[in-house]
Amino acid sequence: MISHADVAIVGGGVIGLTSAWFLAKEGLRVVVLDQGELGAEASWAGAGILPPSSWEHAHTPFDRLRAYGRQHFAAVSQELLEQTGIDNGYRVCGGIEFLGGGDEALAEEWGGPGVERRRLDDAAAHALEPLLAPHLGDAIHLPAMAQLRNPRHMKALEAMCRLTGKVELRPRTMVRRWQREGEGIALDLEGNVLHAANLVVTAGAWTGPFLEQTGVRLPIRPVRGQIALLNPGRQMLRHVLAWGPRYLVPREDGRILVGSTEEDVGFDRKTTDEAIADLVALATRLVPALAETTLEKRWAGLRPAIAAGLPAIGPIPFIPNAFVAAGHFRAGFQLSLGTARAVVDLVLNRLSPLPLDAFRLERFA
Ligand SMILES: Cc1cc2nc3c(=O)[nH]c(=O)nc-3n(C[C@H](O)[C@H](O)[C@H](O)COP(=O)(O)OP(=O)(O)OC[C@H]3O[C@@H](n4cnc5c(N)ncnc54)[C@H](O)[C@@H]3O)c2cc1C
């Protein structure tokens, strides 16, 4: 166990582990601390939808951050597979967004500027997905929609961090107190002290309380999302189907994730019969043949929701060499590669291709 690191990362979700890997690629020695198991919170629970995005056409800060990821996800997934032997399930499966579930603006948001899309009537939607219910109304086809399988991606990231030989992973290690120590940071780990030249806080929904001791107010709160997993035993769908903020994500083995709720219930990740029944009802409404399907599993995760929408990625005001990357709400996987790139640029104090000013914490002062 090392006592001096170049970077200490608090939180081993998708943002923390991707950042640790990218920092290690730059030759830095990193320690990742998680109060629980690595990748077991929101990052395990999510659906892994990766909407299409075009780097050339992305102009808003959010679009740039997302497009950076979409530009690199295929290569990153291939690298993870080659190095760790773990297939994270990254597949370009296409998506169908029904306009009856929300409005066209939402479909625009998922599509993003410069993204291939085609309007579908009922007949055209059936040609793509023959088991759809009739008369669901017009929809948008997004051929470049992709997905990955969260638990596998997290396992691959963990294995990749170990393979670098530069990252020490410490699950079941809660960081309660920390303080400035010259130009660096000292973290109190229940008896041990870890000295780090830099601190990166990637504590998801817990980031607000974690920063309280600094006097920095970061309005991040947990928003529960429940998921029902159906297992029809055969492949019935190929595309991600989106109905407003809810969706069906078909996996290659035939399983279908149905998500998700948005609930303000604090740090409570129980599931409820009512919400799961609503999700299953949506699934059978869109695909009636799912009516006979068994519910294999149900779970919930706590999304880190942030006031003002954009995630917080930047220096912690008045504390040198301390940074935050949190508040990714419904988009943590889509934004994970861009965020990790931003973290590297911040720690190494170098120019970034990403519009980092838009994500600074000073917005909340
Ligand atoms: C149901 C659901 C569906 C989703 N679907 C999608 C999707 O399709 N596409 C997409 O891009 N995103 C999706 N998301 C969002 C995405 O999962 C999150 O934005 C992302 O996982 C956040 O990652 P994180 O690393 O910031 O947080 P987390 O994964 O929650 O990790 C934070 C970690 O910090 C640790 N921690 C906290 N405090 C401390 C402390 N004091 N000391 C040590 N460790 C600490 C926690 O134990 C935790 O492991 C979904 C989320 C949910 C819940």
Side-chain angles (χ1 to χ4, degrees):
M1 208 183 269
I2 66 170
S3 56
H4 288 79
D6 294 318
V7 187
I9 296 185
V10 179
V14 71
I15 303 298
L17 288 186
T18 314
S19 300
W21 174 26
F22 284 17
L23 287 163
K25 279 188 179 191
E26 301 290 333
L28 300 178
R29 279 159 59 87
V30 183
V31 176
V32 181
L33 308 137
D34 198 293
Q35 63 189 2
E37 301 302 330
L38 296 161
E41 290 291 346
S43 300
W44 182 90
I49 302 171
L50 304 172
S53 190
S54 153
W55 178 252
E56 290 73 31
H57 293 86
H59 296 306
T60 69
F62 183 90
D63 284 343
R64 292 293 279 179
L65 198 60
R66 178 166 67 176
Y68 184 91
R70 273 314 299 272
Q71 215 188 8
H72 293 96
F73 247 114
V76 162
S77 301
Q78 186 61 28
E79 188 177 354
L80 288 171
L81 176 62
E82 281 165 11
Q83 299 291 320
T84 69
I86 300 171
D87 177 0
N88 68 1
Y90 174 82
R91 304 283 186 271
V92 177
C93 55
I96 300 176
E97 168 95 39
F98 292 95
L99 300 178
D103 56 30
E104 206 144 339
L106 192 74
E108 279 295 316
E109 184 195 312
W110 269 34
V115 164
E116 185 189 346
R117 65 166 72 78
R118 181 167 68 99
R119 205 169 173 113
L120 302 175
D121 59 17
D122 258 340
H126 271 94
L128 291 176
E129 288 292 358
L131 295 180
L132 282 175
H135 314 307
L136 289 173
D138 281 2
I140 306 281
H141 180 211
L142 297 163
M145 177 82 81
Q147 59 165 292
L148 55 71
R149 297 182 75 150
N150 293 31
R152 295 186 188 182
H153 186 66
M154 296 314 297
K155 283 287 165 229
L157 284 177
E158 190 181 330
M160 195 70 216
C161 282
R162 289 189 205 284
L163 280 173
T164 64
K166 295 265 178 198
V167 181
E168 190 177 301
L169 300 172
R170 294 195 204 166
R172 299 176 297 285
T173 308
M174 182 165 192
V175 184
R176 285 182 208 279
R177 285 182 303 278
W178 55 280
Q179 60 197 39
R180 283 178 65 169
E181 186 183 56
E183 289 297 293
I185 307 288
L187 294 99
D188 181 356
L189 307 178
E190 284 158 9
N192 299 315
V193 178
L194 173 66
H195 306 274
N198 298 274
L199 170 71
V200 181
V201 184
T202 56
W206 294 263
T207 303
F210 184 81
L211 289 182
E212 264 164 22
Q213 73 162 71
T214 64
V216 173
R217 204 190 126 266
L218 198 54
I220 294 184
R221 68 183 204 288
V223 170
R224 184 168 74 187
Q226 302 192 39
I227 289 203
L229 181 69
L230 302 178
N231 188 358
R234 66 189 171 102
Q235 193 161 28
M236 294 175 65
L237 295 173
R238 295 189 185 283
H239 297 76
V240 171
L241 305 182
W243 186 268
R246 298 194 284 169
Y247 45 76
L248 274 60
V249 184
R251 300 304 196 202
E252 254 177 7
D253 59 11
R255 291 184 169 84
I256 298 173
L257 259 83
V258 191
S260 182
T261 56
E262 280 189 21
E263 300 162 89
D264 262 304
V265 289
F267 288 92
D268 174 357
R269 51 177 165 68
K270 281 198 293 290
T271 56
T272 60
D273 292 344
E274 198 187 359
I276 297 296
D278 273 358
L279 292 172
V280 173
L282 172 76
T284 51
R285 182 174 165 209
L286 298 186
V287 184
L290 285 171
E292 302 304 315
T293 301
T294 46
L295 173 69
E296 186 171 274
K297 208 169 166 182
R298 51 199 263 178
W299 66 81
L302 301 174
R303 305 182 189 91
I306 191 162
L310 292 178
I313 307 168
I316 300 179
F318 311 116
I319 305 181
N321 304 319
F323 308 90
V324 164
H328 295 75
F329 193 36
R330 295 182 70 117
F333 277 73
Q334 306 164 38
L335 304 181
S336 59
L337 301 184
T339 301
R341 170 64 199 259
V343 165
V344 170
D345 293 338
L346 286 162
V347 168
L348 296 179
N349 194 19
R350 63 185 192 193
L351 263 180
S352 182
L354 295 160
L356 298 188
D357 280 353
F359 305 114
R360 289 177 73 89
L361 278 66
E362 283 79 358
R363 294 174 282 152
F364 303 107

